Amino acid sequence: APLLAAVIGLVAAGLLLEVGVRLLIPVSDFFWEPDRVMGVQLVPGKSGRWVKPGLFDVRVTINAHGFRDREHTWDKPAGVKRVALLGDSYVEALQVPLEQSVSVVLEQRLRAQGVNAETVNLGVSGFGTGREYLMLRERGLRYAPDVVLLFFVGNDLLNNSRRLEG
């Protein structure tokens, strides 16, 4: 009986410690899963937090098509100019609330200029130009975009190869 009480006490203490650490030191959820064509994709329908203590703590929701964006139909609504945004973490924008992401801000600015625009965020962290092309070919063109914008940053070429990344 004393051994059982000691084991129960240790388990209870461990659970309390776990709960305390999770409350005091937030941990990011994992939003990616393997994909047979692109290597990785965002998990459709996943919700959680993206955290870097002292910098950001953002609630994140991935839409049904596997993008950090609001829901979009594959079919383009009549009279809408659709803009597809390709890129890596800059476009994916887990570090900021969705309303502050480049796709939402661009859509708001286009609409303020009188353009009936809808932006579609196709960004995924770590993507280089090769995977960005695959994303456009496999999923982006299904949205029938009128314009495709590639947000190219310096590491995008390096992300095409483990050898180049070092």
Side-chain angles (χ1 to χ4, degrees):
L3 180 60
L4 180 59
V7 169
I8 290 173
L10 285 173
V11 169
L15 288 172
L16 283 173
L17 181 62
E18 177 72 18
V19 169
V21 167
R22 287 188 182 254
L23 290 174
L24 295 173
I25 305 170
V27 176
S28 291
D29 291 291
F30 196 75
F31 291 95
W32 303 271
E33 67 182 4
D35 178 81
R36 64 176 183 76
V37 175
M38 287 161 288
V40 67
Q41 68 175 11
L42 291 164
V43 179
K46 172 99 177 171
S47 289
R49 292 169 73 184
W50 190 244
V51 180
K52 190 162 193 176
L55 293 177
F56 51 81
D57 186 344
V58 180
R59 296 292 313 164
V60 172
T61 300
I62 308 305
N63 71 19
H65 292 165
F67 300 108
R68 201 300 170 97
D69 202 351
R70 70 180 196 277
E71 297 295 336
H72 296 280
T73 60
W74 291 117
D75 296 325
K76 183 173 60 171
V80 169
K81 297 293 182 192
R82 195 174 253 180
V83 181
L85 284 72
L86 292 169
D88 59 7
S89 60
Y90 287 92
V91 176
E92 183 186 60
L94 297 183
Q95 304 83 353
V96 297
L98 183 61
E99 306 78 47
Q100 295 175 16
S101 69
V102 66
S103 60
V104 173
V105 171
L106 175 61
E107 183 175 295
Q108 290 170 345
R109 288 187 179 180
L110 287 169
R111 288 182 175 196
Q113 296 294 319
V115 179
N116 187 15
E118 178 184 67
T119 58
V120 179
N121 182 341
L122 306 174
V124 178
S125 291
F127 271 24
T129 54
R131 285 200 232 176
E132 290 159 352
Y133 163 74
L134 292 173
M135 178 63 77
L136 177 64
R137 185 185 78 189
E138 296 295 314
R139 299 197 187 132
L141 293 178
R142 288 187 66 188
Y143 288 106
D146 297 289
V147 175
V148 176
L149 295 177
L150 172 62
F151 284 75
F152 181 84
V153 292
N155 66 345
D156 284 3
L157 286 177
L158 301 177
N159 291 147
N160 287 321
S161 163
R162 286 186 186 175
R163 178 182 249 174
L164 291 173
E165 282 195 77

